Amino acid sequence: MSHLTRAPRIVLAKVGLDGHDRGVKVVARGLRDAGCHVIYAGLWQQPEAVVQTVGDEDADWLGISILSGAHMTLVPRIMELLEAAGLEHVQVLLGGIIPDDDVPKLQELGVARVFGPGTSIPEIAKFVGAVGEPSDD
Amino acid sequence: MTEVVAIRELLDRFRNGDRQALNRLVSLVSRGEALEEVRVELSGIKHDARLIALTGNSGVGKSTLVGQLIEHIRSQGETVAVLACDPESVLTGGALLGDRVRMSAHAGDVGVWVRSLATTSGRQSVTAHLDLAAQLLAQYGFDHVILETVGAGQGDVAVDAIADVVVLLIQPEIGDELQWEKAGVLEVADVVVVHKGDLPGAAQTETQARELLNLPGCEETPVVRVSSKTKEGIAELWELLADLPSRQRVSSRDTRRLLRLVQEYIADQFAAWPEDMNSVAEDWAAGKLTDADAVQRILAHVVD
Amino acid sequence: MSDTNGTSAYERWRQAVDAAPPPKFPPTTISGRTIEPLYWDEQNPGEFPGQFPYTRGVHATMHRGRLWTMRQFAGFGSAQQTNERFRFLVEKGQTGLSTAFDLPTLMGLDSDDPRCLGEVGRLGVAVDTLDDMQRLFRDIDLNDISVSMTINAPAIIIMAFYLAAAEDAGFDWKNLRGTIQADILKEFHAQNEIVFPPEPSVKLVIDLIEFCTHHVPQWNTVSVSGYHIREAGATAAQELAFTLADGFHYIDKTLERGLDVDDFAPRLSFFFNAHNDFFEEIAKYRAARSLWAETLRDKYGAKNEASWKLRFHAQTAGCSLQDKQPEVNLMRVAYQAMAAVLGGCQSLHTNSMDEVLALPSEHAVTLALRTQQVLAYETGITNTVDPLGGSYFVEQSTEEMRTAAQDYFRRIEELGGMMTAIDQGFFRNEIANAAFAQQQELDVGHKIIVGVHRFVEEEHKPLDILEVDPEVEQEQIASLRQIKESRGQDEWLRSIDDVRRAAENNENLLPSLIAAARARATVGELMDAMAEVFDRHTAAVV
């Protein structure tokens, strides 16, 4: 894909049962302002549904938010399903409460980056290669 | 530009029912890429799916209604694809596309396909080439294709040109006279839905809409009251849409459609600005070419 | 200011102080100076604590007379493990128990539901059946300790389980003390533990209020919660306004059942956040008390002073905790707790420093509790009531919080009331806007978090954290299966039918739920039965 000016398409989803969506919603707005096309898939998403969404939306990125501690169950399942669907090219980001010890394990599974509490929006925007600048005020 | 080989391979996979190939092809055509290949692929194919467009101002509950229609369509055992358009920010080019959340009762159901699209700044409300995307979806096998787009304004002319049925959503306005008659979208609508029909004032809005639409000597436009909250009117609306004849001017050879195709074709050619046009521009800048000559040369390129 | 009997506010306050049991030792500073129970401007005495509208506190002597309840939220894994943690906390001197349920239970799902994979027993205790509830409170004297249960959508089922378990263990419902959160409105605004649509969801809350008013008179029926609204990113004023508006809505709906406001309003309690901005938080608590008292007396015509008094639990702000240099969280929590105490809380949970990393370890929980004990026994802030009353800054901030809240009450009214405002996404939008604004302030450097934006340390020392045994999930599922197989099928089926019928007939659901608990119906089955009548909430959660 060679379109230099094409906005990155990112699916953001809350996976599992936890409903804490402050972070994911702030990231959604922030990435929009940074020039991304953000597709917010909402709460309580099952891994199967997330992967279908990523495919049907032809997204470049998948951002998952999990604050419930179930990431070591849910993320491997998502990575498996992405591969099975032929969506290995999709880069996966993870946000939420993720203990340090789990980060290398998640990266080994193919997660591109884990963003913990205190991450700034420009940091995430830069990582996904957004070209716009987030508004300052 | 995507390579020809890759496109051919995608089309092969598409023919074999590969959903990811469909997904990629929809992306390509909605960005104005691979148009010719896809047009060739689809030419001569007759499919039954109709493109139903839902349009209306933001906040009128288009996505919620689409969610209800999805539920209804699935309960009949049929499949549905949805193209949901939202405008992107003029400043940053970014967009926050949250429509699918309102349709998410069927998340993970393979009989439902949803694509969120950001319509480019400054363009019309419908993303370019969506008719091709809709045809791809129909060809892939979805029984119904729904297009959801922000209405009110000149943008809807495009909806008019590509949809088989245009549904305009309005909502009860308390106290005020209806505002939307100014918008010039009324004549486009094949069906007018008074959404949020459970709210006070819905009956009054319905009456007003009828009065405004059904003038003597004109064909009657149906007005339906629907509530996504109570689900009242959903089944009736769908039945009505199913029985409605497709608009002639779209399914056949409408002049407006032809002109739009020309416009799109020219725009695509410009997007693929070849190197040798640079020399025309340079000569013109240096005064070696008159305006008229330069335009002629470039047009010749475009038409080739 | 004198009342109808001609006694001045001061005299009435003095009488209340004299009537209260005196402190064992007259409070003095470390240097031996005597501290009076209250300080005020004699030229312009204003309000006194323990008197309408309670800006200075709901009791005449506040923490000088009686300390707040130190209540640490706990729960993880199986009911048995949580029961062990409860007994550990009681031993450490904790005076109230607070139960955290796992996400499947909070969402009304059984542990064997495929959607719960990886979540069983993780963030709290898993309760599927009455047996789990019995295990949870085994060997705990329910006459002696107050029990708080944090649950919302399925609150009425959990309450039914608790009442059945307590009665079967020989406790009289009349003696049970505690609180069930049961505040579904804030779930629609902020936390998203939602199962049914707004209207039936509220009906279940009102069922609880009605039933407990008649049968469990010492129970706090709803803990009207701003905590989660704040955690979702709301401002202090939004937290204050939305929480009180929720409380008013519960009153409106309970009055429709024909109850007298004074019969149930004293059992509504509140739950607020204790965030970083020290004085703003104190102003928020003070404003909350006066707004509630005025509305209860003047709008709802409550005559019982207990109805006027806003009592609240506070928890330090989970969202303020950082994973960088986590020990620094100890300091954040301490200042936040101090604001809650100076603001006049009745009970307090202090977060553990490692809560942003995982469930708190015993070490971290102990330190959090010690933080409260230091405040109570060493700092001297309990020696006099409302020591910040009369501060120009605090008084004006209190007034500003009141005005901001009243502004929101008006806007909600203009939108057509609570239900319409929820339908239109008003609360969610307001909160999301505030959350985004806060993030932008951090991103551009207008606000600083220590250890994150400045004073960063490269070296990262991980804390020892509590790991939940993944076997808990399998064990819980096995135990649930066993119960499902061994229960009496006819009785179980009949009990579920009764619940469904009660829902259809718009009856109070608690009696049939208590019977179903004893027939070993599960949380998930009972939610399904209710959903057949109430439908599920599928509307936008954007």
Side-chain angles (χ1 to χ4, degrees), chain C residues 402-453:
Chain C
R402 283 173 50 89
T403 309
Q406 284 164 329
D407 225 51
Y408 269 120
F409 299 156
R410 240 188 321 274
R411 286 173 70 187
I412 295 165
E413 203 57 48
E414 281 164 12
L415 285 172
M418 177 59 63
M419 287 295 135
T420 330
I422 288 177
D423 274 352
Q424 295 182 4
F426 172 72
F427 301 101
R428 309 183 73 86
N429 279 337
E430 287 290 311
I431 295 167
N433 290 342
F436 191 55
Q438 286 167 52
Q439 181 65 41
Q440 285 187 312
E441 292 254 277
L442 293 170
D443 286 349
V444 300
H446 293 171
K447 294 247 157 60
I448 297 292
I449 295 171
V450 172
V452 177
H453 304 111

Side-chain angles (χ1 to χ4, degrees), chain C residues 137-189:
Chain C
F137 292 104
R138 179 163 298 155
D139 295 331
I140 290 173
D141 185 354
L142 300 181
N143 280 333
D144 198 46
I145 200 147
S146 83
V147 169
S148 153
M149 292 186 282
T150 299
I151 192 148
N152 298 284
I156 193 165
I157 297 174
I158 294 299
M159 192 67 199
F161 284 15
Y162 184 76
L163 291 176
E167 194 170 58
D168 294 352
F171 298 103
D172 186 338
W173 287 352
K174 300 233 166 345
N175 297 331
L176 298 178
R177 287 180 305 118
T179 305
I180 189 154
Q181 196 164 76
D183 172 16
I184 201 68
L185 289 173
K186 62 95 170 54
E187 299 296 335
F188 284 97
H189 307 333

Side-chain angles (χ1 to χ4, degrees), chain B residues 270-298:
Chain B
F270 270 111
W273 183 268
E275 296 268 322
D276 42 351
M277 289 226 275
N278 286 337
S279 64
V280 179
E282 279 160 20
D283 289 351
W284 173 77
K288 292 181 201 162
L289 280 174
T290 65
D291 290 357
D293 283 341
V295 169
Q296 281 306 323
R297 295 246 191 127
I298 287 179

Side-chain angles (χ1 to χ4, degrees), chain A residues 1-3 6-7 9 25 28-29 31-42 45 48-49 51-53 55-58 85-87 89 132-133, chain B residues 1-2 19-20 23-25 27-28 31 33 88-89 92-101 104 106-118:
Chain A
M1 298 299 98
S2 59
H3 250 239
R6 188 161 76 79
R9 278 176 75 80
K25 280 155 82 178
R29 285 189 186 204
L31 290 182
R32 173 200 59 191
D33 289 354
C36 295
H37 287 180
V38 179
I39 298 124
Y40 181 51
Q45 297 293 301
E48 290 76 8
V51 170
Q52 187 184 322
T53 299
D56 290 353
E57 294 285 0
D58 195 11
L87 295 168
H89 60 276
E133 284 293 318
Chain B
M1 287 296 106
T2 317
R19 186 149 169 151
Q20 304 310 344
N23 291 332
R24 181 52 52 88
L25 286 169
S27 303
L28 291 175
R31 292 200 297 266
E33 295 172 38
E88 70 182 20
S89 155
T92 64
L96 178 45
L97 309 161
D99 290 338
R100 62 180 306 129
V101 173
S104 70
H106 283 268
D109 172 357
V110 291
V112 178
W113 183 98
V114 179
R115 172 68 62 91
S116 316
L117 291 158

Side-chain angles (χ1 to χ4, degrees), chain A residues 17 19 29 44 68 97 100, chain C residues 119 122 192 231 356 433 460:
Chain A
L17 298 177
R29 285 189 186 204
W44 311 312
S68 69
I97 297 183
D100 286 349
Chain C
E119 316 251 32
R122 186 170 284 281
N192 301 319
E231 288 289 298
V356 71
N433 290 342
H460 196 55

Side-chain angles (χ1 to χ4, degrees), chain B residues 11 41 43 111 158 194 201-202 214 242 250 266 285 297:
Chain B
L11 288 168
E41 173 75 18
S43 66
V194 180
N214 298 332
V250 172
I266 293 175
R297 295 246 191 127

